[in-house]
Amino acid sequence: VLQLALAKDSVELALEASKARALASYSDNTIKRVLQLALAKDSVELALEASKAWALASNSDDTIKRVLQLALAKDSVDLALEASKAWALASNSDDTIKRVLQLALAKDSVDLALEASKARSLSRNSDDTIKRVLQLALAKDSVDLALEASKARSLSRNSDDTIKRVLQLALAKDSVDLALEASKARPLA
């Protein structure tokens, strides 16, 4: 059935086949063909099935870039994460990484925001974007993301209330580094 799906370029049939029998049980070459079909037909669902079956990292840089572009075009956090794990986001353009960060913020994804911030310093973004990153970190109790935001712009640019929330997060998660950033922004006294 899967071979028929590939021969006829049918995303629907390929998805049905992958539900019936794990794609991982097929040859690497077949899984590659499934991924190429997914890219040709802009199918996030099929691309995710292929990436779960066989590490995206085993594909060419060009293919992984195409997967990331599909993820961005279709607002898929899951597929963007698969692509960023397969091939360092840092290898992409500033514009692409900014788009990844905007997707992360739109979908409230701490993991994707962290991937974007590791790929390029958040300091390359606007004050408003960095503030949104900090708000996401606070909403999701992410010390790592809060630290990335505080390294990008001094926390002192935020309201007293926000800085207090950062300190509360630092205390709740026993983070000395984040507590230090908060205390530099506003004296603890």
Side-chain angles (χ1 to χ4, degrees):
V1 173
L2 183 59
Q3 294 304 322
L4 175 60
L6 292 170
K8 298 291 186 179
D9 293 338
S10 172
V11 167
E12 292 78 14
L13 193 57
L15 280 170
E16 287 301 321
S18 69
K19 286 172 193 165
R21 180 178 158 206
L23 280 182
S25 62
Y26 291 91
S27 69
D28 291 352
N29 189 50
T30 296
I31 300 169
K32 273 190 176 181
R33 288 175 60 206
V34 171
L35 181 59
Q36 291 304 318
L37 172 60
L39 292 171
K41 299 288 187 174
D42 294 337
S43 172
V44 167
E45 196 178 352
L46 192 58
L48 277 170
E49 289 295 327
S51 66
K52 287 174 198 163
W54 193 59
L56 271 182
S58 306
N59 290 278
S60 68
D61 290 353
D62 182 61
T63 295
I64 299 168
K65 274 191 174 180
R66 286 176 61 206
V67 170
L68 180 59
Q69 291 303 319
L70 172 60
L72 291 171
K74 299 288 188 174
D75 294 336
S76 172
V77 167
D78 291 339
L79 194 57
L81 279 169
E82 289 293 332
S84 66
K85 287 174 198 164
W87 193 59
L89 270 183
S91 305
N92 289 278
S93 67
D94 285 356
D95 182 61
T96 295
I97 296 168
K98 281 185 178 180
R99 286 176 62 206
V100 170
L101 181 59
Q102 291 303 319
L103 173 60
L105 291 171
K107 299 288 187 173
D108 293 336
S109 172
V110 168
D111 291 340
L112 193 57
L114 279 170
E115 289 293 332
S117 66
K118 286 175 198 164
R120 287 284 192 288
S121 169
L122 284 177
S123 62
R124 296 192 186 199
N125 291 277
S126 67
D127 285 356
D128 181 61
T129 295
I130 296 168
K131 281 184 179 180
R132 286 175 62 207
V133 171
L134 182 58
Q135 291 304 319
L136 173 60
L138 291 171
K140 299 288 186 173
D141 293 336
S142 172
V143 167
D144 291 339
L145 193 56
L147 278 170
E148 289 294 332
S150 64
K151 286 176 198 165
R153 290 283 193 290
S154 169
L155 284 178
S156 61
R157 295 192 187 197
N158 291 277
S159 67
D160 286 353
D161 182 60
T162 295
I163 297 167
K164 280 181 184 177
R165 287 176 61 208
V166 171
L167 182 58
Q168 292 303 317
L169 173 61
L171 294 172
K173 299 286 187 174
D174 294 333
S175 172
V176 170
D177 292 338
L178 191 57
L180 280 170
E181 290 295 332
S183 64
K184 285 177 201 167
R186 292 283 191 288
L188 289 178

